[in-house]
Amino acid sequence: MPGLEEVMQTVDKSDTARLLEWAQGWLKEERGHYIDGAWLYEGAAESIPSIDPGTGRRLCEIRQAGNREIDAAVAAARKAFADRRWRSMPRRERSRLLMSIADLIREHSAELAALEALDNGKLFKEAINDDLPEAADVFDYYAGWTDKHYSECSPQDEGFINYTVHEPLGVCALIVPWNFPLLLAMWKIAPALAMGNTVVVKPSPFTSLSILRFFELLHEKIDNLPEGVINLVTGGAETGRLLCEHMGVDKVSFTGSTATGKAVVASSAASNLKQVSLELGGKSPNIVFDDVPDLDFAIERSYAAMFSHKGEKCSEPTRLFVHRKIHDQFVARLVDIASGVKCGAQFDESADQGSQCNQEQFDKIMRYIEIGKSEGGRIVVGGERDTRGENGRGLFVRPTIFTDVDNRMKVSRDEIFGPVLVVIPFASDDEVIEMANDSIYGLAAGLWTRDVSRAHTVAGRLDAGMVFINRFGCYDFASPFGGFKQSGWGKEMAVHSLAAYTRLKSVWLKL
């Protein structure tokens, strides 16, 4: 069927009626797996429904890959890696191809964002403004790394030369979560391809639509990508397990919950000890000292960093520590913002917050709200379902803020992954640093202060992989993304991510 760029030649991106008309037509088409440069529709009849969480309506069926499909996808990727057509492609040509993928995403950003919003529940304006630009730009960034990942020559005694070589790992299984399905897939695909690997991508069964469309576009528009270099299988937990256990997979890159990450490690270790990188959960602290440089900005940014994308973000600042002197004022302002939020369907231009991604996650959030109340926490805003969605079936949760909590409660310790914030007062630097670090997670942390000495001292003492000073949530492709402790292994982004998609070989020569 025609792409959306043809359908929308004379209309603006905000013409949601045309977007939805195109999407509804696209959803009627049969969905398959993309293996060895072709779509595979045969195989297991088992499928998974894709549900619009804003309405509860079924969008389409997603095929569940089993042993046959996994074996075929891994074999295709292995063959493409072994024949060296991709990794031996001239670096500038590989770079140009990656940049052409970036352009492809930009050209089709409206339709990709529409599908992303439909099955994730996030607002279309969030998908088109936040997710899609970076999903394209990351290919431009890694296109620049194809000829810049230098090796080294180590100093040796006379008569010997020793140098290192960065080689591609081989077949990489890329397992993508449901909160930023297209963007986080691109975070993995771009560096893996840049380093000469071949890949098998598995999206979440809740949010496969945008990635399916992306692969359709690759197949239709990118001519010089060798068959088998990039493959797609869809399915649930069993499909992921089969990939992790497969003897033909050399590396697994997984983003998702800490519990599932541990299962990925166990499956990978039980097979062939394949390399694993993990970007997992978080319970990130956000510390506001009484000398905060701009109180208004701190309040607005703390709210946005926490509640945007309906709180379904691993690095969101879910534990807010505010100095006692400004605690009540800070909370009151947050309550004002949250009270004015409108929950609404994905294409509602007036909506501020979309629906949670799936029923399981919605139920988990509501369960934790009840746990927080039973622990003695006081809800100052929110705490209930918003029934303004269509016929009350949408999975909308009002932005929820707890006070009268401490750092030992489950709502303060467990990753809820939704629009639930706990606010805890503190009196001293040592006290708040101890509370901030008292977590199994160590993904991100933030602090707000005018004191440069305090800023650097506290940043150095926080046990987190990313620390944001005077603006929570600063991200750039040139900066590594990843955490400590049970928040994961390895880094996404920057030069540091290339270690996840290469192996280091040491070569000796006797003169």
Side-chain angles (χ1 to χ4, degrees):
M1 65 182 299
L4 189 65
E5 78 284 356
E6 300 172 45
V7 176
M8 298 187 66
Q9 282 180 351
T10 60
V11 297
D12 186 77
K13 288 180 181 178
S14 62
D15 189 335
T16 57
R18 296 230 181 175
L19 270 173
L20 290 171
E21 180 183 3
W22 172 86
Q24 287 163 6
W26 183 86
L27 289 167
K28 293 176 182 177
E29 298 179 1
E30 189 177 10
R31 310 268 77 83
H33 310 288
Y34 188 74
I35 297 173
D36 204 16
W39 288 98
L40 176 67
Y41 299 101
E42 300 82 11
E46 185 178 355
S47 61
I48 301 169
S50 175
I51 305 296
D52 176 351
T55 64
R57 295 174 177 173
R58 186 184 69 84
L59 296 169
C60 64
E61 296 289 324
I62 303 298
R63 289 178 179 266
Q64 170 101 345
N67 279 302
R68 176 180 177 272
E69 294 80 16
I70 296 297
D71 286 345
V74 173
R78 174 60 57 198
K79 179 182 176 182
F81 184 73
D83 69 20
R84 305 184 71 90
R85 283 181 298 160
W86 177 243
R87 57 174 160 160
S88 296
M89 180 182 288
R91 293 186 301 274
R92 289 186 180 180
E93 185 177 342
R94 193 191 310 161
S95 176
R96 284 192 291 269
L97 190 146
L98 293 176
M99 288 189 284
S100 72
I101 295 176
D103 291 338
L104 183 69
I105 294 172
R106 293 186 188 104
E107 291 166 10
H108 296 266
S109 60
E111 62 192 83
L112 291 167
L115 296 174
E116 188 90 324
L118 277 174
D119 66 350
N120 173 274
K122 68 175 63 184
L123 301 177
F124 172 75
K125 59 189 175 185
E126 291 178 318
I128 194 70
N129 294 324
D130 298 345
D131 299 17
L132 265 298
E134 288 199 5
D137 292 348
V138 71
F139 280 94
D140 284 337
Y141 177 79
Y142 280 106
W145 274 111
T146 60
D147 59 358
K148 298 179 183 65
H149 193 29
Y150 292 98
S151 298
E152 60 189 2
C153 186
S154 64
Q156 298 300 331
D157 292 337
E158 186 175 346
F160 292 91
I161 293 176
N162 175 240
Y163 62 90
T164 60
V165 179
H166 297 287
E167 297 182 341
L169 281 169
V171 177
C172 300
L174 312 178
I175 302 178
V176 184
W178 45 257
N179 59 333
F180 291 86
L182 187 68
L183 175 60
L184 296 186
M186 303 304 108
W187 276 23
K188 298 177 187 299
I189 294 170
L193 294 185
M195 293 298 101
N197 298 281
T198 59
V199 303
V200 179
V201 182
K202 192 205 86 68
S204 166
F206 297 115
T207 54
S208 298
L209 301 185
S210 59
I211 299 177
L212 280 162
R213 180 57 182 154
F214 169 72
F215 270 79
E216 287 181 352
L217 293 169
L218 280 182
H219 181 70
E220 296 166 5
K221 307 284 188 178
I222 304 296
D223 297 326
N224 54 337
L225 184 64
E227 295 175 355
V229 167
I230 180 165
N231 306 274
L232 172 71
V233 292
T234 55
E238 177 64 10
T239 301
R241 183 187 66 80
L242 292 173
L243 265 177
C244 293
E245 292 181 353
H246 203 286
M247 296 293 289
V249 172
D250 300 300
K251 189 258 174 11
V252 174
S253 176
F254 170 79
T255 299
S257 72
T258 295
T260 305
K262 291 177 180 179
V264 168
V265 172
S267 295
S268 300
S271 53
N272 59 349
L273 279 177
K274 55 180 63 67
Q275 290 196 28
V276 176
S277 56
L278 304 168
E279 203 283 285
L280 306 177
K283 194 72 176 177
S284 299
N286 184 20
I287 304 167
V288 185
F289 292 97
D290 59 343
D291 65 343
V292 52
D294 186 335
L295 182 61
D296 290 338
F297 177 69
I299 292 167
E300 293 167 4
R301 181 61 193 172
S302 294
Y303 185 91
M306 170 61 220
F307 290 102
S308 64
H309 293 262
K310 11 72 177 227
E312 292 175 343
K313 307 186 298 295
C314 56
S315 60
E316 64 187 1
T318 52
R319 292 184 296 153
L320 176 61
F321 298 95
V322 184
H323 195 278
R324 292 187 181 278
K325 290 182 180 179
I326 58 173
H327 173 273
D328 292 350
Q329 178 185 3
F330 207 99
V331 170
R333 295 278 299 281
L334 289 175
V335 168
D336 285 344
I337 298 173
S339 299
V341 164
K342 176 186 175 181
C343 293
Q346 298 94 312
F347 296 90
D348 182 350
E349 285 289 330
S350 65
D352 304 301
Q353 180 179 305
S355 65
Q356 308 310 136
C357 179
N358 55 74
Q359 186 70 53
E360 180 182 348
Q361 187 61 28
F362 173 85
D363 292 342
K364 176 185 176 182
I365 294 167
M366 299 307 295
R367 185 169 66 252
Y368 267 99
I369 289 173
E370 293 305 312
I371 289 171
K373 292 192 289 186
S374 69
E375 290 178 314
R378 180 168 67 96
I379 294 178
V380 293
V381 68
E384 71 276 341
R385 181 177 195 162
D386 191 309
T387 58
R388 283 184 283 184
E390 184 171 335
N391 298 321
R393 292 181 297 169
L395 303 178
F396 299 97
V397 179
R398 295 295 306 167
T400 300
I401 300 176
F402 275 97
T403 60
D404 295 344
V405 296
D406 62 50
N407 205 47
R408 297 183 296 270
M409 294 179 177
K410 287 182 68 64
V411 287
S412 303
R413 304 193 70 80
D414 295 354
E415 184 180 43
I416 301 172
F417 216 66
V420 180
L421 172 68
V422 298
V423 188
I424 302 172
F426 71 92
S428 72
D429 293 19
D430 288 340
E431 176 194 15
V432 74
I433 292 169
E434 181 179 355
M435 288 192 292
N437 289 338
D438 184 17
S439 171
I440 66 170
Y441 301 108
L443 183 53
L447 64 112
W448 305 75
T449 179
R450 291 181 186 272
D451 188 327
V452 174
S453 177
R454 168 189 272 164
H456 288 289
T457 299
V458 174
R461 292 177 63 187
L462 289 172
D463 199 6
M466 300 176 288
V467 179
F468 309 115
I469 301 173
N470 292 336
R471 187 192 187 278
F472 198 102
C474 303
Y475 308 107
D476 191 276
F477 297 138
S479 178
F481 183 102
F484 301 156
K485 298 188 283 190
Q486 293 190 42
S487 287
W489 293 349
K491 300 293 183 182
E492 305 263 22
M493 296 297 104
V495 63
H496 312 85
S497 67
L498 303 184
Y501 297 104
T502 56
R503 59 186 186 182
L504 187 64
K505 178 180 287 184
S506 176
V507 179
W508 286 83
L509 171 66
K510 183 180 183 303
L511 299 175

